[in-house]
Amino acid sequence: DNISGIRQIKAYAAEQVELSRFNRFSDLLRAASLRMMKWWALYSPGMSFVRMTGYVLVLAAGGAAAMRGELTPGDLTKFWLFLSLFYDPIDRLNSLNQMLLSGRAAADRVFEILDAEEEQNSTTGAELPATLTGHVRFDNVSFSYQEQPTLHGVTLEARPGETIALVGSTGAGKTTVLSLLARFYEATAGMITIDGIDTATLAKSSLRDRLAYVTQEPFLFNGTVRENLQLAKRDATDADLWNALQAAHAEAFVRALPSGLDTNVGERGVKLSGGEKQRLSIARALLKNAPILLLDEATASVDSETERQIQDALDRLMENRTAFVIAHRLSTIQNADRIYVLEKGNVIEQGTHSTLLTRNGKYAELCRKSFLAADPSNT
Ligand SMILES: Nc1ncnc2c1ncn2[C@@H]1O[C@H](COP(=O)(O)OP(=O)(O)O)[C@@H](O)[C@H]1O
Ligand SMILES: [Mg+2]
């Protein structure tokens, strides 16, 4: 599961710790597969040899006996057939080969990832000052995935403490904007600054230390609640954890888990609902207490009580921080200081909820189509 969580690990700048953990287990795996392969290299030709020798012996001894008249051809044929029955269970050991092959295929995938180019400059570069106001600017930023131009001269600004909403149809480039800010990719043109410092000059670790990223798919590792939260703050005490859980409206359900903070909530642990996972990832972001928040809001439908709790947790998360939110809930967007509407990688409109509605452009259309209909509290 940690492979799909790479972005979360990076966003929490926990790569070093996770990397050494991963390397240790990969080494164990490699040693085990090598032992298996060596054994197989001996076993497979060895078995063929023994098997063929058996046939040759039966044929030679039996053939000679038959010619001397001590054995009828029918008895020889019986022997021949019994011999193949005898080999049958041994043949089944061949299925071991299948297992080994599939194991190797899985190992190959792991090695592919291990061999993938390590992210450049993740710890080299300038450091951000200890205190940030959180003033973020995108200045004419363009970006292409491979050859595909995705963002075209995007200019936007979040002043300290502001909440900026990004809206637009699927594929407009909203997630890409957040990815560039976290430097999962590098802009091909233009500049992104934080407090006037060009982020391209920064060590990625220093940059990501100051960002809390809540992804669209709330991601939990295969581990306990405690481990999942401590990713954001290694030395967090239980009191810290409970405070964050409480603020994220996650305290009640965590207390109800079989072993509380020590309950495994990963793939092999208890199943949490989408809303519960979301609140845990909000708690994790709260714990990180970073000055800049990136939030890719999930579209998952939850009941209205859960919705209210999540909204409340998000409001707390956005308090006193500069926040970029890709919002789907009208309630989040309405309260934003500024809304940027993206279409095909361009910012086509910007302003507050009411100015954009008055303008009666793309934003107004998006509102009519999705948000307004989905939110009965809006009149
Ligand atoms: N990792 C990627 N590789 C290639 N193309 C991508 C990748 N991620 C997104 N895209 C493409 O870039 C465009 C913008 O995607 P995205 O930023 O995810 O949009 P949004 O979040 O607004 O739905 C889409 O056309 C999408 O197909
Ligand atoms: Mg997206």
Side-chain angles (χ1 to χ4, degrees), residues 341 349 356-369 372:
V341 183
E349 289 174 13
L356 286 178
L357 275 189
T358 314
R359 201 189 136 115
N360 203 18
K362 179 76 182 179
Y363 180 75
E365 184 198 326
L366 282 170
C367 276
R368 276 196 304 274
K369 270 196 205 148
L372 288 179

Side-chain angles (χ1 to χ4, degrees), residues 135-158:
H135 188 167
V136 180
R137 287 178 50 109
F138 276 60
D139 195 5
N140 243 314
V141 172
S142 298
F143 177 71
S144 309
Y145 288 104
Q146 289 93 39
E147 301 295 281
Q148 179 75 26
T150 304
L151 294 183
H152 311 276
V154 167
T155 296
L156 45 85
E157 180 175 25

